[in-house]
Amino acid sequence: MQYSATLSLSQSAAASTIPKSNYTVNHSLPFSPSKPINLRFCGLRREAFLGFSSLSRSQPPQSKIRSDKINCPISASLSDNGSAPKSFDYDLVIIGAGVGGHGAALHAVEKGLKTAIIEGDVIGGTCVNRGCVPSKALLAVSGRMRDLQNEHHMKALGLQVAAAGYDRQGVADHANNLATKIRNNLTNSMKALGVDILTGVGSILGPHKVQYGKLDSPGNIVTAKDIIIATGSVPFVPKGIEVDGKTVITSDHALKLESVPDWIAIVGSGYIGLEFSDVYTALGSEVTFIEALDQLMPGFDPEIGKLAQRVLINPRKIDYHTGVFATKITPAKNGKPVTIELIDAKTKEPKDTLEVDAALIATGRAPFTDGLGLDSVHVERKRGFVPVDERMRVLDFKGDPVPHLYCIGDANGKMMLAHAASAQGISVVEQLTGRDHVLNHLSIPAACFTHPEISMVGLTEPQAREKAEKEGFEVSVAKTSFKANTKALAENEGEGIAKLIYRPDNGEILGVHIFGLHAADLIHEASNAIALGTRIQDIKLAVHAHPTLSEVIDELFKSAKVMDKPPLRNSFHLNLFAINCCVAAPSRYMFSHNWWLRVLIKLKRASSNFNLLTEVLILWGRLKLMLQAQ
């Protein structure tokens, strides 16, 4: 568990020297803050931190909860779903029952909030019904097909397999059945906990007031102390592209797998495009990528992208056009194929015209925020996204938070991933129940479920070097190969690498990128390390089972070269350090927060052990009390 003291520091200094924690607990510190920022104390016991206010062991630690938040029991009754304040129907109403809304609803009931969720389509939203879930079913099929079709791979394992085939409708049914099963699981989990599921399209009528029901009808009105918008997103289709749902399709249509075209063009080479290229080529299609930027897979770390192109694209029936826009796409009609007109992305001059059997538009997603009634609370959307601050509070046109209104997931555009939406929802509920929480989005992993998989968390190498240049620190890179891993070799899947981007001066993990077998499962050790603030010199000591793929990450961290600075650990050094600081500082500065910031920065540079900072703060408080007594 992480906590952070709210200290008065300059925002610029804090951003470059002290990482932010997810939690902020306000306590009575020995100085008065002017601008709050978070200091993380990793592995810190709650008693030690909360003891700052009184330095007394006899009194139980208590945290101060913001006055505008409600006090709730730890768990809610399954029968009554908590109890709302008398002036509202609910403590919390969530508009949208996708993964984000579902995660927020379950956490809210656990915290004792009377909760309702509004859904105008089907429970589970895009992820469960038209995204993550059915696509993984198709990718599971493509993975099996690749193994069976790879004669060299089978022969190396001593296996003999006859010609592999598939039933298109059977594959489509597998994806649909999985989506139905997960959707029912989500629905049942909310009903079991007593979440009220309100059917209809939700919109905001004003502060604390939500209307839901059928479109173009008066609908029902409910009130809530707090409201969360979690309406998700829809496929983005650029101008000039005509989607007919048959030959020119989006991911929504492709997941139904109504056909497997001989030749399909995929517009966009991001996560969606890459995964569908994996599916279509495994099922026998030829694929042509159309990418507006100069390189394929522009969102990935460049080194990982180059390796992925060598493995996932070059050996397969895939060609590509980069640096071009598809300005016009016409569906197949009257025996004529799909036509795609391409222009140069820079000069806008006509480049080429393609004729293919089908085209998949994988150019990203757009927020689904129309009709939410945001004008009633003076909110102006930006490119369709609902503006929010770091606590997911919705901002009005002046940039001020709208009281009791939050927005999570794709609708706010911070990080368009299902698990990010869920994490944001849980973060909001933490705030509503008195615990100020700020989600660290750099700790949220992402994955592309190709064969092999790609996963990542944190910064890419170019992003890390840009940050380092601005803030004045060095960046180092460590790499390991799957070819050195026993489990990967046993599976005959040695193709892949893991890459670590870090600070050699203090061991901070800036980013981790993996391309290889089960990369999507391996990334979480790194993402949790970033979330918890664990440094490389500490995670190097972790033990991994042998032989497992997790040893790829173990070797990655062990190969990193972190400067060995002897930490100040024992009481003698702590006392000596504190006395030296106090003697060296003029009395008028000694207890000023700016002076103490400089001390903390020096300590942070001298030691990777954040518990040390805690001990010094306690020591300093005691020293101050002694001097005041004199």
Side-chain angles (χ1 to χ4, degrees):
M1 193 70 68
Q2 297 175 51
Y3 297 89
S4 60
T6 304
L7 301 184
S8 172
L9 312 176
S10 71
Q11 192 69 25
S12 59
S16 61
T17 59
I18 303 171
K20 287 187 177 181
S21 165
N22 280 342
Y23 289 101
T24 304
V25 182
N26 294 325
H27 296 283
S28 217
L29 292 174
F31 48 80
S32 300
S34 59
K35 291 183 180 179
I37 128 169
N38 301 325
L39 290 179
R40 173 186 287 139
F41 298 93
C42 299
L44 175 61
R45 292 187 304 172
R46 183 182 180 89
E47 305 88 80
F49 179 80
L50 296 178
F52 286 170
S53 57
S54 63
L55 299 175
S56 172
R57 296 180 182 271
S58 61
Q59 297 178 352
Q62 298 290 334
S63 63
K64 294 184 178 180
I65 299 179
R66 298 188 311 183
S67 60
D68 64 329
K69 302 300 176 186
I70 57 175
N71 261 325
C72 300
I74 295 301
S75 60
S77 166
L78 298 184
S79 59
D80 63 9
N81 179 18
S83 56
K86 294 181 180 179
S87 55
F88 301 107
D89 298 320
Y90 294 96
D91 291 311
L92 176 64
V93 166
I94 303 166
I95 304 176
V99 172
H102 173 266
L106 264 58
H107 196 58
V109 172
E110 179 188 342
K111 292 291 187 178
L113 302 184
K114 183 174 176 60
T115 305
I117 194 164
I118 300 172
E119 180 53 61
D121 187 14
V122 286
I123 300 297
T126 294
C127 174
V128 172
N129 300 285
R130 300 173 299 278
C132 327
V133 171
S135 67
K136 299 310 155 293
L138 297 183
L139 285 159
V141 172
S142 72
R144 299 294 194 282
M145 283 295 293
R146 290 195 185 282
D147 286 342
L148 295 174
Q149 292 170 346
N150 191 335
E151 184 178 349
H152 175 75
H153 180 78
M154 291 289 103
K155 189 174 181 180
L157 296 174
L159 299 175
Q160 296 179 355
V161 181
Y166 68 92
D167 171 38
R168 181 199 59 78
Q169 189 58 52
V171 175
D173 289 344
H174 172 54
N176 182 62
N177 293 339
L178 178 63
T180 300
K181 183 175 183 178
I182 301 301
R183 179 170 63 247
N184 291 338
N185 289 347
L186 264 61
T187 303
N188 293 336
S189 66
M190 289 193 291
K191 288 181 178 179
L193 289 175
V195 176
D196 289 347
I197 301 175
L198 310 178
T199 303
V201 177
S203 61
I204 297 168
L205 296 182
H208 307 288
K209 190 178 292 186
V210 177
Q211 176 179 278
Y212 71 96
K214 295 182 179 179
L215 289 172
D216 304 323
S217 65
N220 304 300
I221 297 176
V222 293
T223 59
K225 187 175 190 301
D226 294 285
I227 300 168
I228 295 178
I229 297 168
T231 49
S233 63
V234 294
F236 171 70
V237 179
K239 293 180 180 179
I241 297 177
E242 181 183 346
V243 174
D244 67 349
K246 299 294 183 181
T247 59
V248 180
I249 59 178
T250 66
S251 56
D252 287 359
H253 308 106
L255 289 167
K256 298 176 183 177
L257 203 70
E258 293 181 348
S259 66
V260 180
D262 292 334
W263 184 11
I264 183 169
I266 300 180
V267 183
S269 63
Y271 295 86
I272 299 172
L274 272 180
E275 289 187 352
F276 275 108
S277 75
D278 195 286
V279 171
Y280 280 120
T281 53
L283 298 183
S285 299
E286 294 184 17
V287 170
T288 296
F289 273 118
I290 298 172
E291 173 58 54
L293 298 180
D294 292 333
Q295 66 179 39
L296 294 174
M297 296 172 278
F300 298 89
D301 182 87
E303 185 175 7
I304 298 294
K306 288 179 181 178
L307 177 59
Q309 180 173 335
R310 180 171 65 81
V311 176
L312 300 177
I313 293 178
N314 295 347
R316 300 177 181 177
K317 294 180 180 179
I318 300 176
D319 65 352
Y320 51 88
H321 300 265
T322 57
V324 294
F325 286 128
T327 56
K328 186 177 182 180
I329 299 181
T330 306
K333 294 178 182 178
N334 303 321
K336 295 182 180 180
V338 175
T339 58
I340 304 174
E341 297 179 13
L342 304 178
I343 65 170
D344 188 279
K346 296 177 181 177
T347 65
K348 304 301 185 289
E349 295 293 327
K351 194 77 176 283
D352 201 354
T353 299
L354 302 179
E355 293 184 348
V356 295
D357 298 312
L360 167 63
I361 312 306
T363 49
R365 301 187 63 83
F368 183 61
T369 55
D370 291 340
L372 278 175
L374 293 172
D375 292 342
S376 65
V377 286
H378 311 293
V379 173
E380 294 180 357
R381 294 176 297 161
K382 299 178 180 178
R383 297 182 295 110
F385 294 105
V386 178
V388 296
D389 64 8
E390 62 180 1
R391 289 174 172 80
M392 308 303 129
R393 297 178 296 189
V394 174
L395 304 177
D396 62 20
F397 69 95
K398 294 181 180 178
D400 298 324
V402 178
H404 305 286
L405 182 61
Y406 302 81
C407 180
I408 64 173
D410 289 5
N412 68 33
K414 277 186 172 289
M415 199 171 196
M416 300 180 79
L417 296 170
H419 49 281
S422 181
Q424 291 172 359
I426 292 171
S427 176
V428 169
V429 172
E430 287 289 286
Q431 297 170 56
L432 300 185
T433 52
R435 196 177 190 184
D436 192 17
H437 184 278
V438 177
L439 180 64
N440 177 10
H441 285 80
L442 285 177
S443 70
I444 299 177
C448 184
F449 295 86
T450 49
H451 296 89
E453 295 173 344
I454 310 171
S455 63
M456 65 221 71
V457 65
L459 304 176
T460 63
E461 185 175 347
Q463 290 171 341
R465 294 198 181 281
E466 181 181 357
K467 178 181 174 69
E469 185 175 353
K470 289 180 181 178
E471 300 183 8
F473 60 84
E474 293 184 2
V475 169
S476 291
V477 174
K479 302 173 193 175
T480 56
S481 173
F482 278 68
K483 293 178 181 178
N485 180 266
T486 302
K487 186 64 162 39
L489 294 177
E491 299 278 351
N492 200 24
E493 296 283 356
E495 193 74 71
I497 66 167
K499 178 177 180 179
L500 167 66
I501 306 160
Y502 66 100
R503 289 184 57 165
D505 60 335
N506 62 10
E508 180 183 357
I509 302 169
L510 301 175
V512 175
H513 304 263
I514 308 172
F515 174 65
L517 183 65
H518 294 302
D521 300 313
L522 296 177
I523 195 63
H524 298 96
E525 184 171 357
S527 65
N528 288 335
I530 294 175
L532 297 173
T534 308
R535 300 296 164 129
I536 292 172
Q537 49 268 51
D538 295 320
I539 204 171
K540 277 185 176 186
L541 304 178
V543 179
H544 298 72
H546 175 77
T548 61
L549 291 173
S550 69
E551 291 175 293
V552 171
I553 307 304
D554 184 31
E555 292 301 323
L556 182 65
F557 287 123
K558 282 181 167 59
S559 66
K561 307 298 182 185
V562 180
M563 295 180 185
D564 187 16
K565 294 183 179 180
L568 300 171
R569 294 187 184 276
N570 58 50
S571 298
F572 172 78
H573 285 129
L574 289 174
N575 282 279
L576 183 62
F577 179 86
I579 292 171
N580 286 338
C581 288
C582 295
V583 171
S587 59
R588 64 181 181 277
Y589 294 136
M590 179 174 163
F591 298 116
S592 72
H593 52 271
N594 288 329
W595 172 81
W596 191 244
L597 168 62
R598 291 194 291 273
V599 173
L600 288 178
I601 292 172
K602 289 179 180 178
L603 266 174
K604 182 174 180 290
R605 290 172 178 170
S607 174
S608 62
N609 188 347
F610 279 86
N611 288 325
L612 174 64
L613 302 184
T614 308
E615 295 178 43
V616 172
L617 277 176
I618 295 173
L619 177 63
W620 173 58
R622 291 171 178 165
L623 181 60
K624 179 182 177 182
L625 291 176
M626 286 190 298
L627 292 176
Q628 287 176 342
Q630 293 177 355

